Amino acid sequence: MNGPHDLGGQMGFGPVAPEPNEPYFHAEWEKRALGITLSCGAFGAWTIDESRHARESIPPAKYLAASYYEVWTRGIEMLLERHGFATGEELQAGHSSQQGTVPKRVLKADMVAGVLAKGGPCDRPVETAAIFAVGDRVQTKNFNSTGHTRLPRYARAKTGVVEAVQGSFVFPDDNAHGKGENPQWVYTVVFDASEIWGEGADPSLTISIDAWESYLERV
């Protein structure tokens, strides 16, 4: 979807200003926000793709005014209400008033290290061979999805070269909306800076993205 999360190349937001020696957290509450997000994700009620789409669905004014972990907490609130774990009133009050959905799993303190070490692999086998190969010239499709997509807006309708075939992975555009994992081949595609940024781009730069097969057409 075209939203406030997808600002690559957009003008008017000022320079990128990395913070030297940036800490993992800027406040104690951010640690709790991360912990709550991981704990709720362990419920097994939604996928990582649905959680990303929830954050993307925050109204632009609220999204842009929020800090990184504020966006996370607003996304979690949306998911908890959507899946019946809490009502909007309970979230506002800060305590439960009725029995909500029962989690499939509960992440307890002694389980955290093992769960984080295991991760959440999303590589999946597919029955068909990869359509593209290293060295192929491809063009990304030009579409404006109303749902979740991992093709950034700045890289649509652009021509590049396949640099690597990464394997087959869950298709997030479907998985975010309960349509199944529907895995596809994923390719690293490299673009010249001028193809992405146009006239005046640094000719020494290239931009790489990982693109699912259905995002691409052969040139």
Side-chain angles (χ1 to χ4, degrees):
M1 60 188 300
N2 295 334
H5 65 287
D6 192 4
L7 295 179
Q10 298 299 304
M11 305 295 285
F13 289 88
V16 176
E19 181 180 346
N21 303 312
E22 182 178 10
Y24 292 121
F25 304 100
H26 290 82
E28 285 298 310
W29 72 265
E30 293 184 339
K31 298 178 182 180
R32 190 168 182 82
L34 174 59
I36 289 172
T37 300
L38 295 175
S39 297
C40 292
F43 289 172
W46 55 78
T47 65
I48 188 171
D49 299 308
E50 185 181 354
S51 68
R52 284 173 173 154
H53 181 61
R55 296 170 200 160
E56 296 165 359
S57 300
I58 297 169
K62 291 184 178 180
Y63 187 103
L64 295 173
S67 68
Y68 182 77
Y69 281 110
E70 285 175 328
V71 169
W72 277 40
T73 55
R74 290 174 183 177
I76 282 294
E77 288 175 348
M78 193 181 305
L79 292 166
L80 290 172
E81 190 169 1
R82 177 186 301 167
H83 291 275
F85 292 101
T87 66
E89 292 75 18
E90 288 174 322
L91 291 169
Q92 287 293 322
H95 58 79
S96 62
S97 59
Q98 60 189 37
Q99 176 64 53
T101 302
V102 177
K104 298 177 184 177
R105 298 184 296 272
V106 174
L107 183 64
K108 298 184 178 180
D110 61 351
M111 300 164 57
V112 172
V115 169
L116 293 181
K118 181 179 179 181
C122 58
D123 52 318
R124 302 287 189 273
V126 293
E127 297 180 357
T128 57
I131 294 176
F132 306 107
V134 173
D136 284 352
R137 283 176 55 79
V138 294
Q139 184 177 59
T140 54
K141 294 181 180 179
N142 187 14
F143 60 81
N144 293 286
S145 175
T146 57
H148 181 63
T149 184
R150 299 293 285 174
L151 180 61
R153 182 166 36 183
Y154 67 79
R156 297 175 193 164
K158 306 296 183 180
T159 299
V161 177
V162 174
E163 183 179 64
V165 181
Q166 297 292 358
S168 51
F169 296 84
V170 172
F171 185 46
D173 302 41
D174 285 347
N175 200 42
H177 301 284
K179 298 178 181 179
E181 294 189 338
N182 303 326
Q184 296 182 11
W185 289 97
V186 173
Y187 307 85
T188 298
V189 182
V190 181
F191 306 89
D192 291 334
S194 60
E195 178 69 10
I196 297 293
W197 309 126
E199 184 178 342
D202 184 339
S204 68
L205 296 181
T206 58
I207 295 93
S208 301
I209 67 167
D210 286 335
W212 273 258
E213 194 167 79
S214 61
Y215 296 164
L216 304 174
E217 297 175 319
R218 189 178 304 278
V219 174

